[in-house]
Amino acid sequence: MHILRPQFRIEKQRALEFAGQRGFGVIVAADERGPRASHVPFVLSERDGRAIVQIHFTAKNPLVALADGTRRFLLIVAGDDAYISNDWYSSRDNVSTWLYEAVHLSGVAHLRGLDENRGHGDALLAVSEARLPKTPWDLAQMEGGKRESMLAAIRVVDLVVDQIEGQAKLNQHKPDADHVAVANQLARSQESGHRRLAQKMRALRPGLGYEGL
């Protein structure tokens, strides 16, 4: 991950919380042919004081063979982003840029046994279903044969995290007037991701003259 000014860095615990709340990312590892990547949901937990990212692939995914207990995997978890035009600022002579939040989690990947597939499926569904305003659905409601066939077709991998890199670029280095001007512009957007960034900018510097407050 490229290096930004220190004020852009996300503290490690906050970075883990951000990743856990998102629950979806891109996993990357390299073999002799180069980088391999897959888009994956994941469950983030703690075991023996270490953060563990548990994911699954289809059995034929080339990343399965790379989870050999020695190779490093990288999980990229992206949040909302927004392009910021230079004429949105209150002051002159700014530069157009992008605001965003992202976390990188990396470590050694370990392939788990088939007997752990059901537990992984239950944990992943519990986290994912909890995001929805309804009675949670679980694997017990699935026809037994279909459920076992589906579980047998996946492979579960634990990524034991030993490096955490988080960045939030939310105009932290700009004067208050510029911060407010950009936050107001994003708050007017029809894109929900832009409005979420505006809310985070307002939380970062409360008490300023934001529109609608």
Side-chain angles (χ1 to χ4, degrees):
M1 183 178 285
H2 60 282
I3 301 300
L4 294 174
R5 294 184 180 90
Q7 62 263 40
F8 292 157
R9 302 254 182 112
I10 301 176
E11 186 268 335
K12 289 184 177 181
Q13 186 57 41
R14 281 190 56 224
L16 288 172
E17 291 172 359
F18 172 88
Q21 289 166 0
R22 295 292 293 172
F24 192 85
V26 180
I27 198 82
V28 182
D31 61 15
E32 64 280 358
R33 298 177 59 186
R36 303 275 190 168
S38 284
H39 296 260
V40 293
F42 61 86
V43 179
L44 184 59
S45 62
E46 183 177 321
R47 187 185 307 152
D48 299 325
R50 305 289 295 274
I52 306 294
V53 175
Q54 190 168 84
I55 58 179
H56 69 273
F57 305 108
T58 61
K60 295 182 179 180
N61 191 308
L63 285 167
V64 172
L66 301 184
D68 55 9
T70 60
R71 199 179 307 258
R72 296 185 65 81
F73 278 32
L74 168 66
L75 176 68
I76 302 168
V77 184
D80 296 311
D81 62 80
Y83 171 72
I84 307 302
S85 178
N86 56 4
D87 62 5
W88 286 4
Y89 293 99
S90 175
S91 58
R92 298 182 58 184
D93 300 324
N94 281 285
V95 178
S96 299
T97 189
W98 286 83
L99 301 188
Y100 65 91
E101 293 182 293
V103 166
H104 288 188
L105 305 177
S106 57
V108 175
H110 302 263
L111 184 64
R112 311 301 299 182
L114 291 175
D115 59 333
E116 297 194 35
N117 286 11
R118 175 63 186 270
H120 168 73
D122 286 339
L124 183 59
L125 279 173
V127 170
S128 302
E129 288 284 316
R131 304 173 189 273
L132 304 178
K134 68 179 186 68
T135 301
W137 185 89
D138 58 38
L139 287 173
Q141 300 177 55
M142 195 174 189
E143 190 277 321
K146 178 67 175 179
R147 179 182 61 240
E148 297 311 311
S149 175
M150 181 197 70
L151 289 172
I154 66 171
R155 296 295 182 270
V156 175
V157 170
D158 279 355
L159 171 61
V160 182
V161 177
D162 59 26
Q163 188 169 2
I164 302 169
E165 298 175 294
Q167 295 178 352
K169 185 180 178 185
L170 297 174
N171 265 0
Q172 294 96 323
H173 63 300
K174 296 292 185 180
D176 285 351
D178 286 333
H179 189 87
V180 169
V182 170
N184 287 343
Q185 192 73 39
L186 291 174
R188 300 184 201 116
S189 174
Q190 295 185 3
E191 295 191 28
S192 58
H194 292 182
R195 296 195 299 272
R196 285 192 294 267
L197 285 175
Q199 291 173 355
K200 291 187 176 184
M201 290 178 69
R202 289 175 172 181
L204 192 64
R205 292 191 198 175
L208 301 181
Y210 301 106
E211 292 179 357
L213 295 182

